[in-house]
Amino acid sequence: MKSVAITSGKGGVGKTNVAVNLGISLADLGKRVLLFDADLGLANVDILFGFVAQHNVADVLDGKLHLRDIMVEASNGMQVLPATSGFLQLEHPSQSELAKLAGQMDELSQDFDVLLLDTGAGLRDTVLFFCSAAEEVLVITTPEPTAITDAYAMIKVLTADYQVEAIKLLINEAVNDKEARQVFDKLANVSKAHIDFKPDYAGWIAKDALLETAVRRRKPVVQSYPSAPASQSFQRLAKDFDAIFTSQSRHLISGFWEEVLQRRKVSSNLS
Amino acid sequence: MKIFEQLLEDYVVDKDITPQALHDKIGAGLVYWADLDLQSLEIDVEPTNNDRINMTAAMQNLLTVLSQLILEDSLTGLFNRRYFKRALKSEMERNVREHRPVGLAVIDIDHFKRINDTWGHNVGDEVLKAVTMIMNRNVRQSDTLIRIGGEEFAVVMPNIRYQAAGDAMERLRADIANSIIPVDSDELRTSVSIGIAVREPNQIIHADELYKQADQALYQAKETGRNKVVLYGPPASTGLSSSEREALL
């Protein structure tokens, strides 16, 4: 199972839309997709899909259910792990709670080809946890200046403090390929010059009013308007997926987090 | 009575204070009560309005003294841990309303145990007082200094930017490292490690989380050699240099 965290420095740049529509497009290509709504306290994947989840991550953290029990089939070939909105406790999960979720996702790995982690925005503990646990991170920005600076800040922290090496940039709401390229080049050049890191180009998603309409209709754009420009962008992104994302596969609790959690265990055993 | 109830609640919640100490403190406060000359009031006579006013004033005095005693650290004269969470929380709430950043620094004296072990607890106390004095001259009027435990202190810094918080604490650190503390007929030097976290106006972080972040930064400062300041974060884009910012815009 290939795990990809979808994130952004700034909120409101279309993370959840990308996660949902990329997920459906991948499922349409025959991949078995698991989408985890990892913006735990402010979850909204279910809203985009128009379903109401019976159970969610809160029940898993309570120990009542396994992640497997809360999966919902949101589209043919795509399962969603819904979170919940408005649960303060979930906005600040502890490291051991996060590790529990990641561990259970690892247990589900053989049933899926792709795990998409729809994280929240900004440099919050939960976001950084999932980004550093996933094999690759897809950072989303729009051509808007504040989104660009925050995307860069995110890349900087992920590479400097969390040893994340595989970061792809997706330019959302771009007018055309040229604009997207310009945004990417700017970010890539600054990253290269200041932090000696070069993110990869994941492509771009067309700015499209139908996407908004789809959100209001609570049916993802690739399903409600399959030939809309934004939908075509998502289908293209899904087709490029294997090429864009390397096909290595490892568990979420490995590398960086295995070390951290191991250290935790050792120090808590000592005290 | 609200303050009093809150104090008692705090007492029950953190149990930081022994029943005997609480008893003593209440005893000290009761001196004020005695000033009222209650004996002059006859039990079966309805108290006059003046008596009521006097009693209310005395009660308020008592509560003020009590709350000071309970919220103050007797050695350093700083606020104590009991005040810490309340101060941090209300400061954060105020800064959210005013849409301003708020900073929290956690300061720990390096190798304090060694000072205590080598020189004795009296010297340890002198060092705590000397460090308090140096900290006091390095914080702003609007900052709140708190002794949150043994050799650990906190500074709540309202309306401060990420970089400014780092600069201020760096000055404080250097001042302590360069100071000579006279003890008995001798003198000694000490240093502190400092962890800082700043909540930006657009971030959703509550007080406990901010404290955790500052504490993590402090841990890192300790781990990587002590006598240094470590900033948690940086929060999105505030950690960027001006040249990075310019290049991106």
Side-chain angles (χ1 to χ4, degrees), chain A residues 69 89 114 122 124 137 140 149 176 201:
Chain A
D69 308 320
Q89 175 220 340
V114 185
R124 291 184 283 136
V137 180
I140 297 171
T149 21
N176 52 34
Y201 186 51

Side-chain angles (χ1 to χ4, degrees), chain A residues 17-33:
Chain A
N17 264 312
V18 170
V20 164
N21 288 294
L22 171 63
I24 295 170
S25 307
L26 283 168
D28 287 346
L29 293 175
K31 300 253 191 238
R32 297 167 302 164
V33 180

Side-chain angles (χ1 to χ4, degrees), chain A residues 70-112:
Chain A
I70 67 165
M71 281 194 304
V72 178
E73 173 137 32
S75 169
N76 197 17
M78 174 161 140
Q79 304 276 343
V80 172
L81 294 169
T84 171
S85 232
F87 260 88
L88 253 183
Q89 175 220 340
L90 273 180
E91 277 177 45
H92 304 280
S94 67
Q95 217 166 64
S96 60
E97 286 175 322
L98 292 173
K100 180 178 178 178
L101 295 177
Q104 293 196 2
M105 271 184 270
D106 281 338
E107 287 170 32
L108 297 173
S109 62
Q110 68 226 38
D111 301 332
F112 294 93

Side-chain angles (χ1 to χ4, degrees), chain B residues 29-43 47-48 50-52 54-59:
Chain B
L30 282 175
V31 175
Y32 277 82
W33 190 250
D35 283 348
L36 247 190
D37 195 10
L38 282 177
Q39 269 111 348
S40 68
L41 295 171
E42 286 182 36
I43 305 297
T48 65
N50 211 24
D51 291 333
R52 284 211 181 88
N54 283 341
M55 279 176 72
T56 311
M59 198 64 187

Side-chain angles (χ1 to χ4, degrees), chain A residues 199-234:
Chain A
D200 294 315
Y201 186 51
W204 61 288
I205 306 294
K207 190 179 172 77
D208 187 346
L210 283 174
L211 197 117
E212 267 306 302
T213 316
V215 170
R216 275 198 296 275
R217 286 181 54 188
R218 301 188 68 186
K219 193 172 177 200
V221 72
V222 290
Q223 289 177 338
S224 48
Y225 307 103
S227 53
S231 300
Q232 290 181 25
S233 305
F234 286 121

